[in-house]
Amino acid sequence: MSFFPFDNEDEDDGLEYNGDIEKLVADYESRKKDEYSASELLFIFRFYSLQELSNEGGMSINRIKHVLVEGISQFAYMSVFAIHMAEVCITEKNYRIARQYIQEALAYSPMDSLLQLFQTILLSIEGKKVKANSLLRDILSKIINEPETLEEMMEVLMFHKQLDLAKPVFEKCLEQNVAVEHILETFYQLNGDQESMKKVLPMAEAVLDKDPYNAESWFMLGGIFNELKNTERAEWAFDYSCTISEQFFEARVGYLEAIYQNEKYSVFIEKFDIAKQEFGDALMAPLKGLYAWSHFEIEDVDKARKTYRKILKNYPKDNESWYSLGLTYHYQQKYSQAIPLLENAYRIAPGEPDYGVVLAAAYFGTREYEKANNLYDTLSDQFPENPEIWIDWSTCVYETGTPDEALMIIEAGLKHIPYSVGLMYRMGALCYLVRQKETGLFIMANALQINPEEHILMFKFAPELKKSTAILKLIAEYTNPKL
């Protein structure tokens, strides 16, 4: 899918420029000719749109508009220029101007289905769903045996995230055997929000109902389930893809990653070894970190560490492997051995807050309190809206016997993240522990109003709070109101 979806760049579309495109653009910018043909203007437009994609040149969007205006003024009867201009205006949320270009083009081509489609998109964007759906039904009723038009319509609607409008077009595509898998695949790769994935899922399933032996479609379905955080179904879909096409490497990777996410570590190790025999060590290298951690999870710690060290011998700047190797010691409270490994990870990737948090906790474990506090202070400046930093810092400080200082840290965190339930529960617990019981109960009540299920966080931090009748009664008011 291109920057402007209507501008398909298929090799067989008859619009491949045979000359020097950069020279054509330079001639255009210096106005070597008074007029340029429609095809030349389209080639120039494509050049500028590719610049916009690669963030080159800065002024490419203005150049795009300039060449499209020239195209519209010289070739008003050609809808392609108006459609491209409408796409530009929509990306800029200038819907009134987009509608103006579409309406002017419709005066020349009133039966152009793609121009009419942009009318439906603009109506939908403005919340006029009933009118948009009615117009779309009218457009579709007039399209008979026009697979290319249907494909273009589907691509445009998906590009502009008009999934409700895309549904009837998709159904029409299925009826006329129009291949749209590539459009769905591009969409899910570019858009990972849950709401969009829920709407794309039935389309992907319908594609498979029509052709259940398509490995690519099963792979796409697995990817969609991944985006929906349904790793069990992702594993199932990737498994089918691998079964249909045993040499489909990407599907095998998806399958292995899903097994790992489902915490089937022994199975992952077994399947990884098989895949390594089939695809070779080099291709499987990106998954070796998961392979190493899977051994740690099944308590084969020596194998896990040996695997990480082999990875680091070949990739000494692999920050994730340094971090994970450090964790194998950190989780066993072998902080002195963990620290140099965690320091390497943090030095390579200081932008990863987890690396710093675990390193600071390891410093506390070796009683290097000044180092730990300095690191937490740096992290809190760098990532002030990360609640885990403030919570971990306060935990470490509290365990050194300074609860008042721990409370001050949480208060500082709440100034940056005032509605963090985790920080609110921690502050309520700390207030209660330092004998500010009324304040603590008040803060707990506020947290319970937002998310009562998270109250368990207090008990993980301070199990002794379970003995407080006042706290238990307060929690019951929000979790068991009938009591």
Side-chain angles (χ1 to χ4, degrees):
M1 190 178 294
S2 63
F3 177 64
F4 299 109
F6 177 73
D7 189 34
N8 295 310
E9 296 193 53
D10 299 331
E11 292 181 0
D12 59 351
D13 66 1
L15 286 175
E16 291 299 314
Y17 189 65
N18 295 322
D20 185 341
I21 184 63
E22 292 188 0
K23 182 178 184 304
L24 174 65
V25 172
D27 287 347
Y28 174 76
E29 291 177 355
S30 60
R31 302 307 298 184
K32 290 288 181 68
K33 296 193 297 183
D34 292 332
E35 291 186 356
Y36 289 81
S37 70
S39 60
E40 286 176 326
L41 292 175
L42 282 173
F43 292 136
I44 295 166
F45 160 78
R46 285 184 173 184
F47 180 86
Y48 287 148
S49 65
L50 287 173
Q51 279 192 322
E52 179 67 16
L53 267 177
S54 58
N55 294 317
E56 295 178 6
M59 296 299 290
S60 54
I61 197 71
N62 291 329
R63 290 170 176 170
I64 286 171
K65 289 179 180 178
H66 186 275
V67 71
L68 290 176
V69 167
E70 186 165 347
I72 291 168
S73 62
Q74 288 188 41
F75 309 99
Y77 55 90
M78 294 181 65
S79 62
V80 61
F81 293 104
I83 287 174
H84 281 317
M85 183 61 88
E87 288 180 319
V88 173
C89 293
I90 288 172
T91 60
E92 294 180 328
K93 299 184 178 181
N94 197 341
Y95 308 125
R96 183 181 63 82
I97 301 300
R99 186 187 303 104
Q100 179 181 326
Y101 280 112
I102 294 299
Q103 288 174 342
E104 289 175 357
L106 279 167
Y108 289 92
S109 308
M111 302 305 293
D112 189 308
S113 56
L114 285 168
L115 285 172
Q116 293 173 343
L117 181 67
F118 272 90
Q119 281 188 312
T120 70
I121 291 172
L122 289 165
L123 287 169
S124 179
I125 288 172
E126 294 171 340
K128 299 173 183 178
K129 305 293 185 182
V130 175
K131 286 186 177 181
N133 286 320
S134 176
L135 179 56
L136 182 61
R137 284 194 298 271
D138 184 55
I139 296 169
L140 290 174
S141 68
K142 298 171 184 175
I143 296 177
I144 301 172
N145 297 323
E146 297 182 44
E148 291 184 2
T149 300
L150 285 172
E151 183 180 353
E152 286 176 340
M153 289 175 65
M154 186 69 185
E155 187 174 17
V156 168
L157 289 169
M158 296 298 284
F159 180 86
H160 291 287
K161 298 185 179 181
Q162 295 298 313
L163 300 180
D164 292 329
L165 291 175
K167 185 178 177 181
V169 178
F170 171 77
E171 292 170 353
K172 194 86 169 178
C173 287
L174 284 187
E175 289 175 12
Q176 298 192 18
N177 295 315
V178 178
V180 292
E181 295 90 331
H182 62 290
I183 299 173
L184 298 181
E185 184 176 354
T186 299
F187 181 84
Y188 97 77
Q189 288 174 347
L190 296 176
N191 302 275
D193 62 286
Q194 298 283 298
E195 197 59 36
S196 294
M197 291 300 100
K198 287 176 183 177
K199 291 181 178 181
V200 170
L201 178 59
M203 297 184 193
E205 291 174 331
V207 166
L208 277 166
D209 287 341
K210 197 170 183 66
D211 182 9
Y213 297 102
N214 188 321
E216 290 281 353
S217 295
W218 280 108
F219 177 69
M220 175 178 66
L221 184 63
I224 292 171
F225 278 128
N226 256 344
E227 297 293 344
L228 290 170
K229 312 300 180 186
N230 189 340
T231 54
E232 290 288 345
R233 296 293 284 175
E235 179 185 336
W236 166 78
F238 286 132
D239 189 12
Y240 267 99
S241 184
C242 294
T243 302
I244 294 167
S245 179
E246 294 181 359
Q247 296 306 308
F248 190 171
F249 177 69
E250 289 79 5
R252 188 71 66 89
V253 170
Y255 178 51
L256 287 168
E257 289 177 338
I259 292 171
Y260 179 86
Q261 289 166 354
N262 290 325
E263 300 181 1
K264 300 176 182 178
Y265 301 113
S266 296
V267 177
F268 176 86
I269 292 168
E270 177 190 347
K271 300 292 185 182
F272 177 91
D273 287 335
I274 294 171
K276 188 170 73 169
Q277 290 177 1
E278 294 179 6
F279 295 103
D281 192 60
L283 278 178
M284 298 302 295
L287 294 180
K288 282 187 177 178
L290 303 185
Y291 182 72
W293 193 259
S294 293
H295 281 91
F296 182 78
E297 290 286 354
I298 65 170
E299 299 183 1
D300 190 352
V301 180
D302 288 341
K303 177 70 172 179
R305 289 172 181 161
K306 285 178 182 177
T307 304
Y308 278 127
R309 292 190 188 282
K310 285 181 181 178
I311 295 171
L312 289 166
K313 185 176 180 180
N314 294 321
Y315 306 99
K317 292 186 178 182
D318 184 346
N319 50 284
E320 190 63 24
S321 290
W322 283 114
Y323 175 64
S324 298
L325 180 58
L327 284 180
T328 67
Y329 292 99
H330 185 82
Y331 286 159
Q332 293 183 335
Q333 299 183 357
K334 297 178 180 179
Y335 301 120
S336 296
Q337 291 167 277
I339 284 172
L341 305 170
L342 296 171
E343 285 177 334
N344 279 343
Y346 183 64
R347 182 166 49 250
I348 295 168
E352 292 286 347
D354 288 349
Y355 295 178
V357 168
V358 175
L359 176 58
Y363 286 145
F364 261 101
T366 56
R367 300 188 179 186
E368 297 177 81
Y369 300 137
E370 185 176 355
K371 276 188 176 182
N373 278 305
N374 287 339
L375 180 51
Y376 274 125
D377 193 34
T378 299
L379 291 168
S380 65
D381 285 340
Q382 191 176 359
F383 309 102
E385 295 183 357
N386 185 326
E388 294 304 315
I389 293 170
W390 301 101
I391 290 171
D392 279 26
W393 190 4
S394 73
T395 301
C396 291
V397 170
Y398 179 80
E399 290 177 356
T400 63
T402 52
D404 289 328
E405 186 179 342
L407 183 57
M408 290 173 61
I409 289 168
I410 294 298
E411 288 175 342
L414 279 167
K415 289 179 181 178
H416 295 283
I417 330 166
Y419 298 107
S420 168
V421 173
L423 289 176
M424 292 170 71
Y425 276 120
R426 176 58 60 88
M427 186 171 183
L430 284 169
C431 286
Y432 202 87
L433 291 168
V434 298
R435 302 185 185 283
Q436 298 178 24
K437 293 187 176 181
E438 292 301 320
T439 301
L441 290 170
F442 175 76
I443 295 169
M444 290 176 197
N446 287 333
L448 284 162
Q449 288 178 11
I450 299 172
N451 189 337
E453 302 303 320
E454 294 293 314
H455 72 268
I456 194 172
L457 295 171
M458 293 189 297
F459 300 141
K460 286 183 178 179
F461 165 64
E464 64 269 30
L465 294 180
K466 289 183 179 180
K467 299 176 182 179
S468 168
T469 303
I471 291 177
L472 295 178
K473 183 179 178 182
L474 179 64
I475 291 171
E477 289 179 14
Y478 291 90
T479 58
N480 298 294
K482 291 182 180 180
L483 299 177

